Amino acid sequence: MAAAAEGLESREAAAASKDAPRPAVESVDAGPGAPPFLAGNRLNLDLYPEGCHQLLHLCAQHHQQLLQVEFLRLSTHEDPQLLEATLAQVPGNLPHLRSLVLKGGQHRGALGACLQGTLTTLPTGLSALAHLVHLDLSFNKLETLPACVPQLRSLDTLLLSHNRLSVLPETLGALHVLTFLTVTHNCLQKLPPALGALSALQQLDLSENLLDTLPPEIGGLSNLTELNLASNRLQSLPVSLVGLRSLQLLVLHSNFLTSVPAGLAHLPLLTRLDLRDNQLRHLPPELLDAPFVRLQGNPLGEASPDSLSPPGTPQVLEMPKLYLTSDLDSFPVTPQGCSVTLACGVRLRFPAGATTTPITIHYRLWLPEPALVSLGPHDSLLSGVLELWPHGVAFQQDVSLWLLFVPPRARRCHEVVVRTRRDNSWSDLETHLEEEAPKRLWARCQVPHFSWFLVVLRPVSNACLVPPEGTLLCSSGHPGVKVTFPPGATEEPRHVSMQVVHMAGRELRALLGEPEAAVSPLLCLSQSGPPSFLQPVTVQLPLPPGVTGFSLDHSRLHLLYWAPPAATWDDITAQVVLELTHLYARFQVTHFSWYWLWYTTKTCVGGLARKAWERLRLHQVNLIALQRRRDPEQVLLQCLPRNKVDATLRRLLERYRGPEPSDTVEMFEGEKFFAAFERGIDVDADRPDCVEGRVCFVFYSHLKNVKEVYITTALDREAQAVRGQVSFYRGSVPVEVPQEAEAARQRKGADALWMATLPIKLPRLQGLKGHGKGARLSLAPLNLGDAETGFLTQSNLLSVAGRLGPDWPAVALHLGMPYRELQRIRHEFRAPGWAARGCGALAAGPGAERPAGCG
């Protein structure tokens, strides 16, 4: 995304930060009983929890100081109904209000981006604020401008950035004294002609929208000094812009402009005209030579692509763009380069000259499993595994790779990276995140070779190259964590890295049953080269929360050390010299591993540290087993994070029914488990993820751990219903599993394999007596053609597909189709109605006619 203009953005930032012109003197002093957030004539509630409740409480008390308030700030990260009720009280209780800031953005998402507030409209009663001159509604979910805003006739400044506005109303022209308007980062597609009636407007920012045209009336903004239209879709400009005689700054970069009015060069006060990154091939001489014009990123002097080249002139070919369907697993790359979008959504860009000879690239998207996924103890997987080959092929220029991934849940001090394998070792690539939609995120990286690629969430990693002269390594997530390398610590430069993991105090106290227990952040240090340093390295860790170096009991402070793959943590407090300051503890080591400071009355801390470290990595989940209402033989098995169970069940229970979810169990990232059907129930198909009727799973906390299977029974369902069960066990599928889960349940302990058992019921078959085995369905005969017209032609295949409907997977499996082939068909014919048609075509055989329009 192109950078915004310095001049205009700096002014907007100033306007947003100060909100409105400050009075020379605060008019009212906070009385002895005034709340701390009510200072003078300013009421700042945006950074206080439950700000709406605070304001409603003040209004209910009829606090006299409210009558003097002129500046109100309120966060919109509140319940929408509560927010609307609170704002309805503002006109009657704050009649002299001059500045109203109703911004979101105080909360941040998993990737650090500001989140929008819940505000979607404003009460009509706010139009009674006759003295309001400043209104900030940024970072909200406004799709239309509230009707009360154009009625605020005293409004001088209006900020609407980072909303969802697609249009502005004609009534906006009624704000005759408005001087500052910003509507950046919205979805505006056109502007109202009434915008030209804002004769007092001086600064207008419409950048980062979807504008493709401007109304001629914009030339009526006679007092406009700054206009920002960057990052839109403008292809041309109205000639009326040359009438903006007060204009000093005009920003038009990152559009699709092919021409600009020559008269812009004659605006008397214009000091900067930004035309970067457009499609300008020709400019009037007066603009081309003007010192205030910026033109970088334009194809000036180049012939247009559709113009005819003179004879003998070599054609400059555009980079080919390839869009692959699911039936293709390879594509060619030539020295010209190309841009490729795979069927799974992955994108690649091969720059010109990346390869000197044509090469064929193959790809495959693998389901994640431990053999293909390398995760650290505190990592989480966010994507499938992409394989590109030939492996190890070297490119003359780096290839760009975009991988889709699941947005991570908010976690402090973590980062998203692309991980790749080369020469039997895994490494993380420098990764940049791009957001195409609120829940469609890309991890972009430059790849020097082809191998396996996946996206992971890891604790923030800080690294450096340690020279013989020594250096200092600090944690970006925890500023108090530092490692000092003295001169002579190494003879040759070596790479070192640091990761820091935080543990919540309440989890530790619950584990130990000790109210005053506390721990420092967990520090992991690793390095390349020899295992030890030549000189001791100084490590600094912050003391556990609530503990200071001048008041702590030294007998309760423990320094713990863990060296993988050891099973226990060692207490090395007696083996090192701990130097304590008011906030930090320092000690010296000669080799790297894991370090942790504990403050507790417990004596045998090593075993407790192992349990606490496991608790850091465990995820609390529930297991569900649901049967489709109209087809009880179809069973959905899923492992869900505990906080997603209720929402998922509400969505599924329209089509499925079944028992309540299991009790909460705890699982590690990447842990294997399996589901075994018991008491006469078995899986009714040969699946690659099924071993002797037991369905295999691998738990990844951010991915969907769900599978649908068809079940059957050898028992007589005509006599009575079959009441079976499905049990979930940890680990890989063993040779033998207890036939009944009750025995495993009785032995359940900390290391028990059994996790849960849920009932499964196959109802009694009705109306089949005397019809023989397998006569459960009564359907009209299918039209399969005849000898004269041909069997299973395209026309009757389409008819068959329409009859099958959503039951086509079961029919395909019973026809003997391999499960892997079925999965391929699911993806290839994923448009509505085409999946069954593809099944019919494949069931007819390789030579059958393919349905028209497929693929």
Side-chain angles (χ1 to χ4, degrees):
M1 186 178 294
E6 298 94 350
L8 189 54
E9 280 216 345
S10 62
R11 292 174 180 266
E12 179 186 343
S17 61
K18 66 184 181 181
D19 300 329
R22 290 179 178 269
V25 181
E26 300 282 6
S27 60
V28 180
D29 295 330
F37 43 77
L38 183 54
N41 61 354
R42 297 178 179 272
L43 182 55
N44 299 318
L45 295 170
D46 54 334
L47 298 180
Y48 284 84
E50 299 183 342
C52 287
H53 288 291
Q54 301 276 11
L55 182 55
L56 287 175
H57 180 68
L58 291 175
C59 293
Q61 290 183 330
H62 301 289
H63 207 289
Q64 289 298 314
Q65 197 167 344
L66 288 179
L67 299 177
Q68 308 299 324
V69 170
E70 297 181 357
F71 304 86
L72 172 63
R73 299 180 64 97
L74 191 64
S75 171
T76 55
H77 292 290
E78 298 269 9
D79 178 77
Q81 295 181 348
L82 176 63
L83 185 61
E84 182 178 2
T86 303
L87 293 176
Q89 299 294 320
V90 169
N93 292 274
L94 289 81
H96 299 97
L97 199 63
R98 297 180 59 231
S99 172
L100 177 59
V101 178
L102 301 173
K103 289 180 63 175
Q106 290 87 9
H107 297 173
R108 293 186 176 269
L111 302 179
C114 295
L115 298 179
Q116 292 177 314
T118 61
L119 188 68
T120 58
T121 187
L122 293 176
T124 56
L126 288 184
S127 59
L129 295 174
H131 303 285
L132 195 69
V133 297
H134 177 272
L135 179 61
D136 189 348
L137 303 175
S138 305
F139 286 98
N140 284 294
K141 298 179 180 178
L142 298 175
E143 297 183 358
T144 58
L145 190 69
C148 64
V149 174
Q151 301 177 29
L152 298 169
R153 302 304 170 84
S154 299
L155 206 59
D156 172 86
T157 300
L158 178 59
L159 296 95
L160 300 169
S161 300
H162 295 275
N163 277 280
R164 303 174 180 178
L165 298 170
S166 57
V167 294
L168 293 175
E170 289 284 344
T171 54
L172 190 67
L175 300 176
H176 298 297
V177 298
L178 191 69
T179 63
F180 186 99
L181 173 62
T182 173
V183 203
T184 182
H185 288 89
N186 276 272
C187 307
L188 294 179
Q189 300 181 16
K190 61 180 181 179
L191 297 175
L195 187 69
L198 301 176
S199 56
L201 196 63
Q202 299 178 14
Q203 299 174 29
L204 175 60
D205 190 349
L206 298 169
S207 61
E208 302 289 345
N209 278 284
L210 304 175
L211 298 172
D212 51 16
T213 59
L214 297 176
E217 289 80 2
I218 198 171
L221 301 176
S222 56
N223 287 303
L224 195 66
T225 60
E226 297 178 7
L227 175 60
N228 191 343
L229 293 163
S231 298
N232 278 280
R233 299 178 177 179
L234 298 173
Q235 300 182 31
S236 61
L237 300 174
V239 180
S240 60
L241 281 183
V242 302
L244 300 177
R245 310 297 291 177
S246 300
L247 199 61
Q248 303 174 20
L249 174 65
L250 178 56
V251 182
L252 293 163
H253 72 72
S254 304
N255 278 280
F256 301 104
L257 294 173
T258 57
S259 63
V260 293
L264 293 178
H266 304 295
L267 292 177
L269 302 179
L270 192 62
T271 59
R272 179 178 172 188
L273 174 57
D274 193 343
L275 295 171
R276 293 173 297 164
D277 299 317
N278 278 281
Q279 300 298 318
L280 297 170
R281 300 179 185 275
H282 305 284
L283 273 181
E286 52 266 48
L287 281 175
L288 197 59
D289 300 330
F292 55 83
V293 180
R294 295 192 175 186
L295 295 169
Q296 295 92 334
N298 283 282
L300 291 171
E302 298 180 11
S304 58
D306 54 353
S307 64
L308 295 176
S309 301
T313 302
Q315 292 287 332
V316 179
L317 300 178
E318 293 187 359
M319 177 177 290
K321 297 181 180 180
L322 305 179
Y323 299 90
L324 304 187
T325 56
S326 60
D327 58 343
L328 297 176
D329 62 357
S330 64
F331 54 91
V333 178
T334 66
Q336 181 184 348
C338 63
S339 174
V340 185
T341 300
L342 307 183
C344 56
V346 174
R347 301 195 309 230
L348 298 105
R349 186 180 185 276
F350 297 83
T355 177
T356 56
T357 58
I359 185 175
T360 298
I361 304 298
H362 298 262
Y363 79 93
R364 182 172 179 179
L365 191 65
W366 295 85
L367 293 176
E369 57 178 84
L372 293 175
V373 175
S374 174
L375 295 178
H378 299 280
D379 296 346
S380 298
L381 183 65
L382 301 180
S383 74
V385 182
L386 174 70
E387 183 184 9
L388 297 169
W389 73 90
H391 291 176
V393 61
F395 294 98
Q396 304 301 315
Q397 299 185 43
D398 284 348
V399 176
S400 298
L401 172 66
W402 286 263
L403 290 172
L404 281 170
F405 65 94
V406 178
R409 293 182 287 275
R411 293 190 178 183
R412 190 166 58 120
C413 301
H414 281 68
E415 60 188 351
V416 175
V417 295
V418 174
R419 185 161 295 171
T420 184
R421 182 180 180 180
R422 186 176 190 182
D423 299 332
N424 297 322
S425 64
W426 291 85
S427 60
D428 293 341
L429 302 175
E430 181 179 350
T431 305
H432 304 275
L433 304 185
E434 298 180 3
E435 184 174 358
E436 184 177 282
K439 292 186 178 181
R440 189 173 177 86
L441 301 176
W442 300 88
R444 176 176 60 84
C445 62
Q446 303 293 111
V447 297
H449 67 278
F450 275 177
S451 181
W452 287 272
F453 301 91
L454 50 95
V455 183
V456 300
L457 179 73
R458 72 176 187 187
V460 172
S461 180
N462 298 102
C464 71
L465 183 66
V466 179
E469 297 79 17
T471 188
L472 174 66
L473 176 61
C474 300
S475 169
S476 58
H478 298 264
V481 179
K482 300 178 180 180
V483 181
T484 305
F485 300 89
T490 178
E491 292 180 346
E492 298 292 336
R494 66 174 77 180
H495 290 274
V496 298
S497 63
M498 164 198 300
Q499 286 186 329
V500 182
V501 181
H502 175 76
M503 182 175 188
R506 63 179 180 275
E507 296 180 2
L508 178 70
R509 290 188 288 271
L511 176 66
L512 301 181
E514 182 181 350
E516 297 181 0
V519 294
S520 72
L522 171 60
L523 173 63
C524 172
L525 297 172
S526 59
Q527 57 149 336
S528 63
S532 300
F533 289 94
L534 302 178
Q535 298 290 337
V537 175
T538 302
V539 179
Q540 175 179 293
L541 282 176
L543 290 172
V547 179
T548 63
F550 302 127
S551 61
L552 64 81
D553 182 351
H554 288 255
S555 64
R556 298 173 58 183
L557 188 64
H558 302 268
L559 177 61
L560 303 179
Y561 163 84
W562 178 62
T568 60
W569 288 74
D570 297 325
D571 189 342
I572 61 171
T573 311
Q575 304 172 26
V576 299
V577 177
L578 280 177
E579 177 188 347
L580 302 180
T581 67
H582 183 60
L583 298 176
Y584 303 105
R586 299 188 183 97
F587 54 93
Q588 293 186 331
V589 297
T590 56
H591 59 277
F592 278 177
S593 192
W594 296 66
Y595 298 94
W596 211 355
L597 273 176
W598 277 53
Y599 191 73
T600 176
T601 57
K602 308 292 184 181
T603 54
C604 299
V605 186
L608 296 173
R610 180 179 64 83
K611 294 181 180 179
W613 184 59
E614 289 181 354
R615 182 68 60 87
L616 276 174
R617 300 156 52 218
L618 283 170
H619 300 270
Q620 295 186 327
V621 301
N622 297 92
L623 301 158
I624 63 174
L626 303 176
Q627 294 174 263
R628 188 176 284 271
R629 291 182 180 273
R630 62 176 179 80
D631 186 7
E633 288 85 358
Q634 185 176 353
V635 179
L636 180 144
L637 305 173
Q638 189 167 7
C639 175
L640 284 165
R642 186 175 62 177
N643 62 328
K644 291 188 175 182
V645 172
D646 292 340
T648 302
L649 288 179
R650 283 195 298 269
R651 188 180 70 252
L652 291 176
L653 287 181
E654 292 182 2
R655 295 172 292 135
Y656 294 86
R657 61 185 173 191
E660 290 293 319
S662 71
D663 294 337
T664 300
V665 296
E666 295 180 328
M667 302 191 73
F668 291 105
E669 185 83 3
E671 182 177 355
K672 291 184 177 181
F673 66 103
F674 64 93
F677 289 91
E678 301 165 340
R679 288 190 171 180
I681 303 291
D682 199 0
V683 179
D684 190 25
D686 182 20
R687 301 167 54 106
D689 58 352
C690 183
V691 180
E692 297 182 358
R694 302 160 194 161
V695 184
C696 309
F697 290 82
V698 182
F699 172 73
Y700 293 106
S701 57
H702 287 77
L703 305 185
K704 290 185 178 180
N705 304 280
V706 57
K707 294 185 180 181
E708 285 195 82
V709 299
Y710 282 85
I711 59 174
T712 186
T713 180
L715 303 178
D716 184 9
R717 290 178 60 190
E718 297 181 17
Q720 60 181 3
V722 177
R723 300 181 182 274
Q725 62 189 26
V726 57
S727 296
F728 295 88
Y729 300 88
R730 298 183 187 275
S732 303
V733 176
V735 177
E736 295 183 0
V737 177
Q739 293 299 314
E740 307 297 339
E742 282 76 3
R745 184 187 294 116
Q746 293 172 3
R747 298 196 309 270
K748 184 180 179 184
D751 299 321
L753 296 180
W754 175 84
M755 293 189 295
T757 295
L758 299 173
I760 297 290
K761 178 184 177 181
L762 287 177
R764 179 185 176 187
L765 298 180
Q766 302 291 337
L768 300 181
K769 192 171 183 179
H771 291 274
K773 183 178 180 181
R776 47 180 300 196
L777 295 177
S778 177
L779 299 175
L782 297 175
N783 175 23
L784 301 180
D786 51 47
E788 183 177 350
T789 60
F791 294 98
L792 286 178
T793 61
Q794 174 173 312
S795 59
N796 57 48
L797 276 177
L798 297 181
S799 173
V800 171
R803 293 280 305 281
L804 291 177
D807 292 324
W808 70 271
V811 176
L813 291 171
H814 284 290
L815 286 174
M817 180 175 294
Y819 181 76
R820 182 171 295 176
E821 186 71 9
L822 175 63
Q823 292 294 79
R824 190 187 71 79
I825 297 171
R826 282 181 185 270
H827 182 78
E828 180 176 357
F829 299 94
R830 58 191 178 275
W834 289 110
R837 303 179 185 183
C839 172
L842 287 169
E849 186 178 355
R850 191 186 185 104
C854 293

